[in-house]
Amino acid sequence: MSQSHRAVPHPLDIGASTPLANQVAGHQNVLTDASGALVIKPALPREIAFYQLVQNAPLSSPLAKLQTFLAEFYGTLQLEGRLDGAGQLWAESDKARRELDESIVLENVAHPFLHPSILDAKLGTTLYAADASDEKKARMDEKARQTTSHATGLRLTGAQTYHALTSSFMLTPRSFGYSLTKETLPSGMVRFFPLPADTVASLALPSSPAPSTGSSTGAHHPFPSATVDLASAPSPASFNPSASAPEKSSNPAQPPLLAAPSYTDHAIPPDDLLRVLDILLAHLDALAALLRQLEIRFIGASLLVVYEGDPNRLADALRRFEARQIRLAARSIGSPVLGEGEDDEDDWDGASDTSSESETRTDSEAEDTEDAKDEARARRRCPPLVLKMIDFAHTTLAHGEGPDEGVLLGIQTLRGLVQGRRREVEVYIQETGAVRPS
């Protein structure tokens, strides 16, 4: 694997790699390592060059600052064989080995979260690269016009939203995004940022042929497969078994969505949801301001929004985030900060564990202590929300041409949707007096 500015945080065991869980959109053949902290993704030379360009940019440049909104790049990987569906590496001939794709190794931005709610949204009004064939340009332009991409610079490509009471994810397939119009885009925000009383339909994909590979890896797939019979699934109290009529797609090229039982009684308190939306708005503003300084065409790039779906873990993450913001603000004006230089108050530093105490513990007690420490560390690593740009296979420099207005339009559209959802949450709180229980 090539060298990068930052070392890989774990030894990379390719033999233990598995298909990436929590992938809500994009191409297949994306893997994760045994720890779950890394993503191994086949990449074209242009995408590799983009990550390397950003990583090597002068620290004071706008391009270097873009790293804040990218997954951490650890380098590239060239396999000496092929991985099967179970992550096992099989040797290839010299000729076949030369034809293997190179992969990039990135951080898995969903890894710090306990139950990540994830939204993938395609950016831009132009969906083809400048060197695309005339046939592809015409086809992709028609695709943009048939969906929300052309008018808004944004298309929702997939999502999963954690539903705490059923310990499951509400899944939003790609076909949902294709079915939307500019006017119905806000329904995507309801699915991704539900209020407690919202009813959210569970969407299933239409039947499709079984894979021809015959592989049975047991890998997690983010959307229900054709073999899932949602009508016969158990119906917990918060799972409404009444199904509505199938939704029709406005795009004749896309199959209709199948309606299924719906979810209610969402667990994220409205005031915490409001705080999450405020964080996302601030991130979107910062990203837009940065992209206005870059002359780059982000063809085919997407935004990835991830927030913690577990209400208790989210509350902890919000508390830490807001405490850190207060410390940073105090430092910026030169005020003394309480606890300056100290770790989070919940940190485990092991200082209270003397050797004599360790010797008197039973194996079971020691394991319990280590488990508690691991849980505390995991909580500290979990942010309330992250916003990242992904997918740069067709990204190109555009010196002298100004910023990518189509991508900026998409960010503006998403900002408007989030702002609209924020107003709805505010109204809900005012009408119901709903706040987090003390």
Side-chain angles (χ1 to χ4, degrees):
M1 189 167 64
S2 67
Q3 297 298 311
S4 65
H5 289 175
R6 182 177 172 186
V8 175
H10 311 282
L12 188 54
D13 183 359
I14 295 298
S17 298
T18 58
L20 177 65
N22 299 316
Q23 183 180 356
V24 299
H27 297 289
Q28 301 301 310
N29 302 321
V30 180
L31 301 174
T32 185
D33 71 326
S35 73
L38 300 176
V39 169
I40 306 164
K41 173 192 170 187
L44 296 174
R46 184 175 290 175
E47 184 164 25
I48 295 170
F50 174 76
Y51 275 105
Q52 292 171 339
L53 179 67
V54 173
Q55 189 177 71
N56 296 320
L59 294 180
S60 60
S61 68
L63 189 60
K65 295 175 182 177
L66 187 61
Q67 290 189 71
T68 301
F69 295 101
L70 305 183
E72 185 74 33
F73 172 63
Y74 294 111
T76 60
L77 185 70
Q78 181 80 44
L79 298 179
E80 296 298 319
R82 293 190 181 275
L83 287 171
D84 64 14
Q88 298 299 311
L89 187 65
W90 295 86
E92 295 279 6
S93 66
D94 289 341
K95 178 181 178 181
R97 189 178 297 126
R98 288 192 297 270
E99 297 173 352
L100 291 174
D101 291 332
E102 194 169 9
S103 294
I104 52 176
V105 181
L106 305 170
E107 70 166 318
N108 180 1
V109 298
H111 182 251
F113 296 87
L114 179 63
H115 297 301
S117 291
I118 305 173
L119 172 68
D120 187 307
K122 183 72 69 178
L123 290 173
T125 54
T126 301
L127 305 181
Y128 54 82
D131 57 357
S133 66
D134 290 341
E135 183 275 331
K136 183 171 184 179
K137 289 179 180 179
R139 176 164 47 85
M140 298 305 290
D141 186 63
E142 179 64 20
K143 182 177 182 180
R145 292 177 183 278
Q146 287 184 341
T147 64
T148 55
S149 291
H150 180 76
T152 71
L154 186 77
R155 175 167 56 84
L156 306 184
T157 51
Q160 65 175 35
T161 311
Y162 186 65
H163 188 253
L165 296 186
T166 56
S167 300
S168 62
F169 287 99
M170 302 181 296
L171 304 171
T172 303
R174 180 172 58 179
S175 50
F176 174 81
Y178 277 118
S179 74
L180 296 178
T181 64
K182 180 178 179 180
E183 292 71 28
T184 58
L185 265 174
S187 63
M189 296 297 99
V190 176
R191 292 190 63 82
F192 192 55
F193 297 112
L195 283 162
D198 284 337
T199 298
V200 177
S202 176
L203 302 178
L205 290 176
S207 298
S208 58
S212 59
T213 60
S215 173
S216 179
T217 65
H220 167 77
H221 295 280
F223 304 135
S225 69
T227 60
V228 175
D229 183 2
L230 292 177
S232 62
S235 298
S238 58
F239 200 55
N240 185 351
S242 61
S244 57
E247 299 181 35
K248 293 184 178 180
S249 170
S250 61
N251 182 354
Q254 294 299 318
L257 298 175
L258 300 182
S262 55
Y263 291 90
T264 58
D265 298 330
H266 307 281
I268 301 295
D271 54 333
D272 285 355
L273 187 59
L274 199 66
R275 294 152 77 190
V276 167
L277 294 171
D278 283 339
I279 294 172
L280 179 53
L281 287 170
H283 286 353
L284 288 170
D285 287 344
L287 176 59
L290 183 58
L291 293 183
R292 291 189 188 99
Q293 304 175 55
L294 299 176
E295 294 183 314
I296 298 177
R297 295 295 174 265
F298 295 96
I299 305 300
S302 295
L303 277 182
L304 199 66
V305 181
V306 188
Y307 74 92
E308 178 54 61
D310 179 84
N312 295 323
R313 182 69 68 89
L314 176 62
D316 288 344
L318 286 167
R319 175 182 56 79
R320 287 192 308 277
F321 174 84
E322 290 163 357
R324 182 174 182 272
Q325 296 302 107
I326 292 172
R327 292 196 298 270
L328 292 175
R331 289 186 192 129
S332 69
I333 61 175
S335 297
V337 182
L338 181 64
E340 181 73 41
E342 296 179 0
D343 292 333
D344 187 273
E345 63 188 36
D346 294 330
D347 279 5
W348 289 79
D349 58 11
S352 62
D353 291 339
T354 65
S355 57
S356 59
E357 288 174 332
S358 299
E359 291 170 359
T360 58
R361 289 190 182 125
T362 65
D363 290 343
S364 177
E365 289 172 336
E367 289 178 2
D368 290 344
T369 300
E370 287 304 314
D371 289 344
K373 289 182 179 181
D374 289 343
E375 170 63 16
R377 293 188 191 103
R379 282 179 176 272
R380 291 196 304 275
R381 286 193 298 267
C382 178
L385 176 143
V386 295
L387 174 70
K388 301 291 183 181
M389 289 187 71
I390 59 173
D391 299 337
F392 304 105
H394 304 291
T395 293
T396 58
L397 301 180
H399 294 303
E401 299 179 22
D404 192 324
E405 296 294 346
V407 165
L408 287 170
L409 174 62
I411 294 175
Q412 178 184 338
T413 297
L414 181 56
R415 193 193 190 286
L417 293 171
V418 174
Q419 188 65 54
R421 187 55 175 163
R422 189 189 187 283
R423 288 192 292 268
E424 293 170 352
V425 174
E426 277 189 319
V427 170
Y428 181 88
I429 292 174
Q430 292 168 1
E431 292 180 348
T432 64
V435 294
R436 168 174 280 279
S438 58

